[in-house]
Amino acid sequence: MKSSFSRRTFARLVGAVVGSASVPLFAATGTEPPGSRTGRMIFPEGFLWGSATASYQVEGGVHEDGRGPTIWDTFSHLPGTVAAGDTGDVSVDYYHRYKQDIALMKDLGLRSYRFSIAWSRIFPTGSGAPNANGLDFYSRVIDELLANGIEPFCTLYHWDLPQALQDKRGWENRDTARAFADYAGYVAGKLSDRVRRFMTMNEIRSFVELGYQQGIHAPGLKLSAARVAQLNHYAVFAHGLAVQAIRAAARPGTQVGIADNVQATTPLIETAPHIEAATRAMREQNAQYLTVIREGRYTDAYLQRLGADAPKFTLEEMKIIASPLDFIGLNIYQPTYVRADESPKGYAVVNPPASFPHMYSPWLYVGPEAIYWATKLVNQLWNPKELYITENGASSSDVPENDGTVVDSDRIMYLRNYIGQLHRAISEGVPVKGYFVWSLLDNFEWADGYAKRFGIVYVDYATQKRTPKMSAAFYRDVIARGGLA
Ligand code: BG6
């Protein structure tokens, strides 16, 4: 097993210059800046407090109702790939227990729930004839959510590529992008009568770099730099094609976005030179992901750094990649601290010293201001109509006490501080409209299997018993009060 320490360690890119527009301070987000009169951190009326899960991580039921195999079924069954040889075969059995889990959501007061659709439940081999039973499952989930007053947010790809497509070179094959768009359009056509917001993909960076470069996620490949750059290009292209397919098939008013784990470049010290450095770094560190999706071109520094390994692309593809979005979802966990630097790129990424505090996962450094700076800089650089925090959360060691209570004080500390910094961004006019805790339930955490728990609800994997942790009580209170009182 490779150490999960490398989970979020990313290649550094060479820098370039950036333009920026400033964010109005205390721009109106409602009738007045939220919390301004009382000094409490109260979020705007209608703010969508939610939580998130993903298909392979919670569903189980991998052989049911015509679901086709995915790269995670294959990968997790290979020896030495996942901690303790865990697989998502059963996971937390959400496929059969979703009603109970939605009741838990309701009890927490959740206004929204982000889930993903398993492509291979809809198209078992990735394309061809749709499997009606697969769609039915999600249709029932959506009905149950709506009956409980919870708004569904639907992700179309959270890393579980149909194995049949990987057998034809997966994301290295340009045809996979077309198949993804067809699947996305089909689902949006069927579900947009009840789902208003779709996200094309979850964390392109993660599935490209961990799955195809570092080989620690499915499909477990370690491709050359040139092949990774090309498949990365096809992945962002697939996102753009899917945006267009969803718009073409969905009901008017349907909103389309993405859930991106932007590198949350955060100034080490909040002074002008370091803030400028973090702004430049935001563009360059995310050049082949959010930057190209927003700007329709790769930065010069990115192309120069890759040289002969740079992706081949057409101008038509670049236009499609930059298809307009209704919102940007950001998954924010840890900061990438940046400082001003004399080098031509104008910034340096600061490596965390060994003493830097982190959560139970070694990669998950605690830096709450990351959520403030990421939302603020993304807004400043790319001016999205709306932003959502599509994931934020933390792993804890979570040992139940004798009476079953889980007192996850560290997770509460983490959430409180990140939510506070999110309020700071909103109070400055950054248009963040909702926040999703990762995760509702303990679940299959990819290469970590069941060894790392991110849920605000504890799951006893032997009995499937769900027990809300203290962090669930904390979050319920945040939702009930509309913020941090
Ligand atoms: C996010 C993913 O990157 O982080 C989730 O979107 C994932 O699917 C979460 O579970 C935690 O990451 P990990 O690798 O520790 O399971």
Side-chain angles (χ1 to χ4, degrees):
M1 239 325 277
K2 291 110 221 144
S3 143
S4 58
F5 192 75
S6 63
R7 171 71 174 82
R8 310 293 163 117
T9 44
F10 302 119
R12 294 200 205 160
L13 306 179
V14 201
V17 189
V18 66
S20 68
S22 64
V23 177
L25 284 187
F26 297 104
T29 51
T31 47
E32 61 176 331
S36 64
R37 243 199 324 231
T38 61
R40 296 179 302 153
M41 296 185 196
I42 300 302
F43 284 65
E45 195 66 31
F47 189 77
L48 284 178
W49 297 103
S51 91
T53 64
S55 44
Y56 188 72
Q57 294 185 270
V58 295
E59 286 177 1
V62 293
H63 301 298
E64 285 190 51
D65 297 330
R67 174 187 180 276
T70 73
I71 55 174
W72 270 97
D73 297 292
T74 309
F75 182 75
S76 65
H77 279 269
L78 296 174
T81 53
V82 175
D86 291 337
T87 74
D89 287 1
V90 176
S91 187
V92 295
D93 196 31
Y94 167 91
Y95 194 74
H96 302 108
R97 294 170 196 256
Y98 69 90
K99 284 195 180 168
Q100 177 190 347
D101 293 333
I102 292 172
L104 275 170
M105 295 177 208
K106 183 171 179 161
D107 189 53
L108 287 173
L110 295 193
R111 309 251 161 82
S112 51
Y113 169 57
R114 174 175 172 240
F115 64 96
S116 79
I117 291 192
W119 183 346
S120 75
R121 286 198 193 278
I122 315 298
F123 293 100
T125 58
S127 60
N131 168 37
N133 290 337
L135 194 74
D136 269 8
F137 167 64
Y138 296 105
S139 201
R140 291 195 302 274
V141 169
I142 290 161
D143 285 344
E144 187 71 14
L145 287 168
L146 293 173
N148 284 282
I150 299 167
E151 180 175 343
F153 270 58
C154 174
T155 312
L156 289 154
Y157 185 71
H158 201 124
W159 309 353
D160 39 4
L161 186 72
Q163 180 61 45
L165 292 180
Q166 186 55 41
D167 295 343
K168 293 188 259 176
R169 297 191 300 121
W171 294 109
E172 284 201 87
N173 184 341
R174 195 174 185 276
D175 293 345
T176 299
R178 187 62 66 188
F180 178 62
D182 290 346
Y183 147 70
Y186 176 81
V187 170
K190 296 284 183 194
L191 299 182
S192 60
D193 56 340
R194 287 159 294 152
V195 176
R196 231 187 113 219
R197 294 192 179 86
F198 289 91
M199 284 142 288
T200 55
M201 293 181 169
N202 181 70
E203 300 193 356
I204 297 176
R205 181 196 294 271
S206 294
F207 74 79
V208 168
E209 297 185 5
L210 304 175
Y212 292 85
Q213 184 177 44
Q214 299 175 29
I216 58 174
H217 277 192
L221 300 176
K222 291 184 182 169
L223 301 179
S224 67
R227 286 172 71 181
V228 170
Q230 192 62 47
L231 88 87
N232 187 110
H233 175 71
Y234 291 148
V236 288
F237 176 54
H239 151 81
L241 282 178
V243 171
Q244 300 195 351
I246 295 168
R247 284 206 205 295
R251 303 229 167 166
T254 304
Q255 299 196 345
V256 191
I258 187 169
D260 181 62
N261 59 328
V262 73
Q263 251 193 53
T265 59
T266 303
L268 189 58
I269 304 169
E270 294 189 355
T271 55
H274 298 291
I275 293 170
E276 201 205 318
T279 312
R280 287 174 185 229
M282 173 60 77
R283 252 185 104 242
E284 288 306 334
Q285 296 291 117
N286 298 292
Q288 70 274 45
Y289 307 110
L290 204 50
T291 306
V292 72
I293 286 171
R294 293 308 281 178
E295 301 182 12
R297 60 182 294 271
Y298 293 113
T299 66
D300 295 341
Y302 173 70
L303 294 176
Q304 275 161 23
R305 181 173 69 82
L306 286 181
D309 294 332
K312 315 273 176 291
F313 55 86
T314 65
L315 290 180
E316 182 57 23
E317 287 168 354
M318 300 312 279
K319 249 203 265 166
I320 291 168
I321 290 169
S323 298
L325 297 176
D326 299 299
F327 66 92
I328 296 178
L330 299 177
N331 294 359
I332 306 290
Y333 287 89
Q334 88 282 42
T336 298
Y337 285 111
V338 168
R339 62 180 172 78
D341 182 69
E342 297 295 308
S343 66
K345 68 180 181 179
Y347 71 88
V349 171
V350 178
N351 289 321
S355 56
F356 203 99
H358 63 78
M359 299 299 291
Y360 204 37
S361 307
W363 58 266
L364 216 174
Y365 297 110
V366 180
E369 64 276 23
I371 207 166
Y372 167 76
W373 284 104
T375 50
K376 186 179 164 96
L377 295 181
V378 165
N379 187 47
Q380 185 175 308
L381 285 167
W382 297 306
N383 197 28
K385 289 184 208 146
E386 291 187 348
L387 284 163
Y388 290 87
I389 297 300
T390 34
E391 286 180 28
N392 172 240
S395 48
S396 273
S397 45
D398 288 343
V399 180
E401 302 195 347
N402 287 340
D403 64 356
T405 323
V406 177
V407 186
D408 49 345
S409 51
D410 53 346
R411 183 176 288 108
I412 294 174
M413 173 281 293
Y414 177 99
L415 294 175
R416 180 190 292 118
N417 282 285
Y418 277 71
I419 290 171
Q421 287 286 327
L422 181 60
H423 183 271
R424 180 182 171 206
I426 292 173
S427 70
E428 292 182 13
V430 180
V432 183
K433 304 297 181 190
Y435 168 92
F436 295 81
V437 170
W438 184 271
S439 179
L440 178 72
L441 302 163
D442 292 336
N443 65 58
F444 177 80
E445 288 292 346
W446 308 116
D448 287 328
Y450 300 101
K452 294 284 187 296
R453 293 174 177 272
F454 276 76
I456 55 174
V457 174
Y458 186 88
V459 180
D460 177 338
Y461 295 119
T463 61
Q464 296 292 359
K465 183 167 185 261
R466 276 79 162 138
T467 308
K469 303 175 192 176
M470 286 298 277
S471 56
F474 163 78
Y475 193 45
R476 177 166 44 193
D477 185 63
V478 167
I479 297 171
R481 296 185 199 211
L484 300 170

